[in-house]
Amino acid sequence: MGQAETIPAGYNCPFFQASQYIARALHGKTMLCASIMRQASTTAQRADIAAETPDWGGVLTRVAAQDKAAFGSLYDYFAPRIKGWSLKMGAPASKAEDIVQDVMLQIWRRAAQFDPARADAGTWIFAITRNRYIDLVRQEKRPEIALDDPVIVSDEATPEEALRDRERADRVAEALAQLPEAQRAIIRQSYFAELTQQEIATQDGLPLGTVKSRLRLAFGRLRELLGDAV
Amino acid sequence: MSCSATPKHCPSQECLLSYANGCMGEAESLLIATHLAFCPHCRKLAHIGECVGGKLMTETAAVPVSDACRSKLFAALDGADTEAKPAQSHASPECFIPEPLRGYLGGAGCKSGVKQLAWEQTAAGQREYKLKLTSCCQRRGADARLVMLEANSALTLPATQHRRALLVLCGSLANAEATYQTGDITCAVAPDGMKAGTENCFALLVTTPPKSWLHKFLRKISCG
């Protein structure tokens, strides 16, 4: 499934394969070094992050048990970021704090629904913020899949795949960090201010075709970094 | 359920990204979300988009929030109802329409339930049921409808400058290029040449103004 998209056109052509082989042989040494260094730096970074970042999933579990102190620490970290995010999305300044209140109240009310097997805390809070923004600012409904709907086609994941799913948020964070800054920037831009590609193109002074292909390349590279079996 | 294979005609990566990051409008999102119910592969890609969003939001620059905001919120906590884990959503074994689409049909998801909808005959062998989208979405010029096409009938659609996409829910649709089955999306909805297979076909038809993301992003990419 989905493999066809990730294999570049011409992959089966003998010249393409030979040139890839030569390129790999030439750069193998450098890439090995780079990969060792990258691993070392991500391990160090991870240790730093682990030391600095509280376990927000654990905090949410306490919020589910109506722990106001836990909710307070969640608020102090996320409220200013939800506000910053909403403003970047294009919310009027007068509405930004209404969104913060609304999102935080939803978190308080629905903390028991947080399922660490499906998402990490950041992803869960992001989804609530996105949906409340769509409701309050754009005044539209957000149609979303119901994962417990008996009608959906289940993916019959192997235990290994299920583990990969659970660890996706961590792996996404690492993959984003490894992405070249230009690619990271174009993905980041696609999240804000409901920019159409035309608008992203105008801001950067790039022609639309270039932006489209860059976004596609950036997301494709992210998937590569996440491994084939995404 | 008649569908066992996963879809072969899926939306592009960028399309899934714009669904995940919330930039896409309601009508297009309904189409994508309903496709996701049929396609575990695209669900994973959309989840990557949400994980990226979570990461970016966690890292976003903090903007100071007023003390009033905090005190107002904390004052509201005691009176707020909390929600436990949602009950398993109900669907009979004959149900073939997944959420979120089922919600737009008043919960009708099986053939007998769908029959009760206020259908409008639009062509020979073709009936349509217009979904109620939020008024903002309608003002944008978006439209979503369930289409029922009798076996072997040709799909008839009026000419428009708007962009259309179809998601097959049950049965099949085919033109000269391809056959579309449960979960498949096609943007090639030319009024001519698209025909139902040997059983009745149900599909979701979404129409959006030419400037929408659907226009720019929906691409037929084979997942198979």
Side-chain angles (χ1 to χ4, degrees):
Chain A
M1 284 237 5
Q3 305 306 329
E5 295 180 57
T6 55
I7 298 170
Y11 187 79
N12 291 323
C13 146
F15 175 74
F16 181 85
Q17 285 180 341
S19 63
Q20 289 288 299
Y21 181 75
I22 294 165
R24 245 180 258 141
L26 282 174
H27 295 291
K29 255 187 167 169
T30 350
M31 283 169 70
L32 186 63
C33 287
S35 132
I36 290 169
M37 284 171 66
R38 198 162 54 216
Q39 264 179 12
S41 74
T42 48
T43 312
Q45 276 171 6
R46 226 178 296 152
D48 283 353
I49 291 167
E52 285 168 18
T53 316
D55 163 26
W56 293 121
V59 174
L60 275 175
T61 314
R62 282 162 50 206
V63 172
Q66 311 272 290
D67 181 337
K68 281 190 188 164
F71 184 69
S73 68
L74 197 79
Y75 178 92
D76 291 338
Y77 185 82
F78 280 101
R81 286 166 176 83
I82 294 167
K83 185 172 175 183
W85 183 271
S86 305
L87 290 169
K88 271 192 192 166
M89 284 288 288
S94 59
K95 255 193 170 167
E97 293 203 349
D98 292 345
I99 297 171
V100 171
Q101 278 192 31
D102 193 288
V103 171
M104 290 306 303
L105 195 59
Q106 296 279 336
I107 293 173
W108 172 256
R109 294 179 57 215
R110 285 159 46 183
Q113 293 175 11
F114 170 69
D115 180 357
R118 282 187 183 165
D120 73 320
T123 305
W124 190 72
I125 294 172
F126 162 75
I128 293 180
T129 309
R130 173 198 62 198
N131 295 357
R132 297 312 297 147
Y133 176 88
I134 290 173
D135 186 0
L136 294 168
V137 179
R138 226 160 61 197
Q139 300 185 329
E140 283 189 4
K141 254 204 262 184
R142 163 77 184 179
E144 275 206 287
I145 180 175
L147 288 170
D148 60 352
D149 183 357
V151 183
I152 74 170
V153 176
S154 66
D155 55 356
E156 290 158 17
T158 62
E160 291 79 22
E161 283 170 349
L163 183 68
R164 290 178 75 87
D165 283 359
R166 281 200 292 280
E167 291 175 340
R168 186 167 294 130
D170 293 338
R171 293 190 295 119
V172 162
E174 280 177 38
L176 267 180
Q178 287 174 34
L179 218 54
E181 179 48 36
Q183 291 197 327
R184 199 164 42 240
I186 203 140
I187 289 185
R188 198 187 296 125
Q189 261 185 322
S190 77
Y191 278 71
F192 293 124
E194 293 166 26
L195 294 177
T196 63
Q197 284 188 337
Q198 187 66 59
E199 288 166 306
I200 297 176
T202 323
Q203 279 194 352
D204 278 3
L206 293 169
L208 180 63
T210 316
V211 176
K212 213 181 223 176
S213 57
R214 280 192 184 180
L215 184 58
R216 183 171 302 177
L217 273 175
F219 197 55
R221 178 80 188 116
L222 189 71
R223 282 181 59 189
E224 264 173 43
L225 289 166
L226 288 166
D228 277 340
V230 291
Chain B
M1 274 189 38
S2 56
C3 52
S4 53
T6 51
K8 303 257 184 302
H9 299 274
C10 297
S12 69
Q13 296 182 12
E14 308 90 278
C15 181
L16 292 166
L17 187 63
S18 92
Y19 168 76
N21 68 23
C23 291
M24 192 182 259
E26 182 183 353
E28 303 95 308
S29 294
L30 175 63
L31 184 98
I32 299 302
T34 307
H35 168 78
L36 292 182
F38 294 113
C39 188
H41 177 69
C42 287
R43 279 210 290 278
K44 288 184 183 178
L45 296 183
H47 190 228
I48 291 176
E50 289 195 329
C51 291
V52 170
K55 180 73 186 153
L56 293 177
M57 204 181 84
T58 310
E59 284 176 349
T60 203
V63 173
V65 181
S66 71
D67 291 343
C69 179
R70 195 182 206 278
S71 48
K72 231 165 120 185
L73 173 70
F74 275 72
L77 293 186
D78 286 326
D81 297 329
T82 50
E83 292 173 22
K85 282 192 197 300
Q88 175 94 6
S89 50
H90 293 289
S92 68
E94 300 82 44
C95 186
F96 68 100
I97 296 181
E99 293 288 7
L101 179 56
R102 209 161 64 234
Y104 281 83
L105 306 173
C110 58
K111 286 189 179 154
S112 57
V114 166
K115 234 181 216 168
Q116 310 298 319
L117 298 171
W119 291 94
E120 185 196 343
Q121 182 99 29
T122 51
Q126 181 176 339
R127 283 179 290 166
E128 296 178 13
Y129 172 74
K130 192 174 158 130
L131 308 188
K132 198 172 181 314
L133 300 170
T134 31
S135 47
C136 272
C137 183
Q138 285 174 357
R139 273 201 299 277
R140 254 183 344 111
D143 179 89
R145 47 189 69 208
L146 195 64
V147 177
M148 206 282 277
L149 201 56
E150 283 171 23
N152 303 311
S153 302
L155 182 69
T156 310
L157 296 170
T160 177
Q161 291 299 308
H162 282 33
R163 300 287 156 165
R164 293 183 180 121
L166 261 179
L167 169 73
V168 177
L169 299 158
C170 183
S172 67
L173 275 176
N175 61 9
E177 284 102 52
T179 300
Y180 302 93
Q181 286 168 326
T182 301
D184 283 338
I185 289 180
T186 172
C187 301
V189 208
D192 51 323
M194 198 65 90
K195 218 177 134 186
T198 50
E199 54 177 310
N200 291 355
C201 174
F202 286 89
L204 172 65
L205 172 69
V206 165
T207 308
T208 53
K211 277 180 102 180
S212 79
W213 280 81
L214 187 70
H215 162 213
K216 285 171 184 152
F217 276 157
L218 271 179
R219 293 245 177 289
K220 284 175 290 159
I221 290 180
S222 170
C223 275

